[in-house]
Amino acid sequence: MTDEHNPFEALEARLQARKAEYDAIDVPHAAASRAVQAGIQQASHKRKSKLRWLTSSISAAALILLFTGCIRVSPAFASFVEQLPGMEGVVSLIRQDKGLMMAIDQSLLQKVGITDEHDGGSVTVEGIITDESRMVIFYKMKGMKDTEKFNYDIDLLDENGKDIPVVYGYSVPNSDSDDQVYENFIDVVFTDKASPPDVLTVVFKSRDDAHPGVWKVTLPVDKNLTKGMKKVIPVNESLVIDGQRIQVKQATMYPTRLVLDVQMDPNNTKKIFGLSDLQLVDEQGRAWRTDTSIGEDTRSIYFESMYFAKPKKLTLQGSGFSGLDKKELDFSLNLKTREITGGPSGLQMLGSKVEGKDLIIDFSVPDNMENSYVFNFSKVKDSSGKTYQTPSASWSPGYGKNQNHTTVSITIENGAKLQGELQIKISTYPSKIKSPFSLEIPVNP
């Protein structure tokens, strides 16, 4: 190791230890990400997954965390840890987002350090970084019950005490620390309906009736740190992928992310759930990944920010898309006979069960959902026309001896008494169309 890295050896050792903990987590990488991107309110997950997502009431998606790669300490890491001491575990998470690390290294992190402590537990908001598109809230919990299960709800309130209409997500990794210290961050997406508040209150509410409690941290938001840094790049170019047309309207670059706005052509014959293996590549060959998208036919796609890398050109690249013929989106399901009329070929109902007020239906899908979208509904109607919500879906590989199929369990909220025939519209499905594409994105010098 060179002399340049000697001052960071101890920090790197701690980060490597934290990374080993996170790498042991069973995480449904791309499959969960695409399920969330499709608007599932609670993340679809594999069994024993330790990720949990929250979204607001608006239809949208949530942050995707990727626990991959190796730790290499840089001055940016050292700077971050100096600002938020004891948060090395969080550093090992956000290092996957090189744009966010660059923004932190540009001194855009607002240190907070405000704590709410009572009943033997405390929550501290250590710092935030925000621009017009995104806010990342770094926090620490100490002495709280069951942080490894994260049996808490989180609310984000503005200066008037009202819910901010945003999408936000957080991970729930294992926490085996003897001193009951748990550190993490909340990733917030601002849409056209919201912007950073002047004053933010972060509320943690215990879901455990045996250990109730509410912790609130209120802090001012310094929006001047990133004021005037938004850059809009007009594109107005069309992509044609396997006969499906997509209008790429504009890219907006912020310190914490790049937002690409696209419009699906209403005359397309297929419903496009998402573009596959999407990335932006600069003139040096550096790839800037996407982790989130919001919207349906009009869609915003979020990438790591290359704001401080100052690329001279960007190329949008992908391997195809996930989608279905529009005529296959709707099908009817007879709960008694398990007969499916319409829909994609090979879809089968395996059975159903009642849990409390909800109905859970098991399906066999003739596709492997690794690195793909999960099968889920957007609308369910009974014979009277009443609509039901589907807040969660889970899946496991294989059905019987057929490993090419996937078993999917979908929860219909308040559907315990449902009988007869249901009318269902598919929101996502694990079908892939291979059709590589690329498009030059102009970047102003």
Side-chain angles (χ1 to χ4, degrees):
M1 182 175 289
T2 65
D3 290 339
E4 180 183 357
H5 291 122
N6 285 335
F8 306 127
E9 286 182 352
L11 173 58
E12 183 168 3
R14 295 199 302 273
L15 290 174
Q16 289 285 6
R18 291 304 185 99
K19 177 183 181 296
E21 296 175 10
Y22 293 124
D23 285 346
I25 303 171
D26 178 19
V27 178
H29 297 284
S33 77
R34 291 174 173 83
V36 176
Q37 289 172 6
I40 297 176
Q41 293 176 323
Q42 238 177 330
S44 301
H45 56 281
K46 286 183 180 177
R47 291 171 294 187
K48 298 183 180 180
S49 165
K50 292 295 183 180
L51 278 183
R52 181 170 300 176
W53 298 99
L54 292 182
T55 65
S56 68
S57 59
I58 63 176
S59 63
L63 161 77
I64 306 309
L65 301 178
L66 300 179
F67 299 88
T68 60
C70 63
I71 296 292
R72 168 53 56 198
V73 175
S74 71
F77 282 111
S79 173
F80 177 77
V81 174
E82 286 172 2
Q83 293 179 72
L84 300 181
M87 299 286 283
E88 298 95 333
V90 173
V91 175
S92 70
L93 296 181
I94 69 165
R95 72 161 303 280
Q96 305 302 329
D97 189 329
K98 53 184 174 288
L100 188 60
M101 287 303 302
M102 287 181 182
I104 290 171
D105 203 34
Q106 293 291 322
S107 300
L108 298 182
L109 178 73
Q110 176 189 340
K111 289 189 284 186
V112 178
I114 299 176
T115 301
D116 183 14
E117 182 176 8
H118 57 82
D119 300 327
S122 68
V123 173
T124 302
V125 174
E126 298 284 5
I128 64 171
I129 183 169
T130 189
D131 54 31
E132 296 176 56
S133 174
R134 181 185 189 188
M135 176 185 286
V136 182
I137 305 166
F138 300 96
Y139 68 91
K140 184 184 297 182
M141 306 174 78
K142 188 172 183 178
M144 307 286 276
K145 301 292 184 180
D146 295 329
T147 51
E148 70 276 6
K149 298 178 183 178
F150 206 87
N151 198 22
Y152 298 87
D153 289 318
I154 294 178
D155 291 330
L156 303 177
L157 310 178
D158 64 15
E159 54 270 19
N160 298 313
K162 296 182 179 180
D163 287 318
I164 305 172
V166 293
V167 182
Y168 56 98
Y170 56 86
S171 67
V172 186
N174 291 319
S175 178
D176 299 322
S177 175
D178 293 335
D179 59 2
Q180 290 186 294
V181 175
Y182 172 81
E183 59 205 34
N184 209 331
F185 66 95
I186 307 164
D187 204 314
V188 182
V189 179
F190 294 111
T191 65
D192 293 338
K193 298 180 180 179
S195 60
D198 294 320
V199 177
L200 171 70
T201 298
V202 186
V203 183
F204 293 79
K205 296 186 293 188
S206 173
R207 301 191 197 104
D208 187 352
D209 293 336
H211 303 94
V214 178
W215 288 260
K216 294 183 179 181
V217 174
T218 299
L219 59 132
V221 177
D222 185 357
K223 294 186 283 188
N224 289 324
L225 287 172
T226 56
K227 185 177 181 180
M229 298 180 76
K230 171 181 174 181
K231 296 180 180 179
V232 178
I233 303 169
V235 181
N236 297 318
E237 296 285 347
S238 289
L239 275 172
V240 179
I241 311 172
D242 193 47
Q244 311 304 302
R245 186 175 295 275
I246 302 171
Q247 180 75 11
V248 182
K249 299 163 67 176
Q250 69 177 26
T252 307
M253 198 179 296
Y254 300 91
T256 65
R257 64 166 32 117
L258 179 141
V259 183
L260 190 68
D261 292 320
V262 302
Q263 174 72 51
M264 308 298 170
D265 192 317
N267 296 319
N268 286 343
T269 60
K270 298 182 187 302
K271 173 70 173 181
I272 298 175
F273 305 131
L275 302 175
S276 304
D277 303 315
L278 201 59
Q279 60 183 6
L280 286 165
V281 181
D282 66 16
E283 73 281 358
Q284 298 183 38
R286 293 176 296 186
W288 307 84
R289 63 184 182 143
T290 178
D291 59 15
T292 310
S293 69
I294 293 177
E296 291 291 333
D297 290 337
T298 299
R299 190 172 304 179
S300 293
I301 305 172
Y302 296 88
F303 292 82
E304 292 175 287
S305 175
M306 64 291 299
Y307 191 98
F308 297 106
K310 299 180 180 179
K312 296 179 180 178
K313 71 172 185 177
L314 292 170
T315 303
L316 180 67
Q317 298 179 352
S319 63
F321 65 90
S322 178
L324 275 180
D325 286 340
K326 291 181 178 179
K327 61 184 179 182
E328 295 181 322
L329 295 175
D330 296 285
F331 68 93
S332 61
L333 171 66
N334 190 306
L335 291 174
K336 183 176 181 180
T337 66
R338 302 183 183 178
E339 181 180 0
I340 292 176
T341 304
S345 175
L347 180 65
Q348 302 176 51
M349 175 182 168
L350 303 178
S352 63
K353 62 181 178 180
V354 171
E355 286 192 359
K357 296 181 180 181
D358 301 333
L359 176 67
I360 300 176
I361 306 178
D362 296 328
F363 293 89
S364 174
V365 179
D367 290 279
N368 186 323
M369 279 189 255
E370 291 295 331
N371 300 315
S372 183
Y373 282 78
V374 67
F375 166 52
N376 201 31
F377 313 149
S378 59
K379 292 182 181 178
V380 180
K381 290 184 178 181
D382 62 17
S383 56
S384 69
K386 182 179 178 180
T387 300
Y388 295 81
Q389 302 297 318
T390 56
S392 65
S394 62
W395 69 92
S396 57
Y399 169 57
K401 296 181 179 180
N402 192 336
Q403 293 303 307
N404 291 325
H405 280 235
T406 303
T407 299
V408 181
S409 300
I410 300 179
T411 299
I412 300 179
E413 193 173 47
N414 297 318
K417 296 182 180 179
L418 282 172
Q419 296 180 3
E421 193 168 275
L422 302 178
Q423 300 298 321
I424 295 172
K425 178 177 286 290
I426 294 174
S427 59
T428 55
Y429 198 79
S431 58
K432 300 176 185 176
I433 291 92
K434 288 291 185 181
S435 182
F437 62 89
S438 66
L439 178 68
E440 296 295 320
I441 304 293
V443 178
N444 296 325

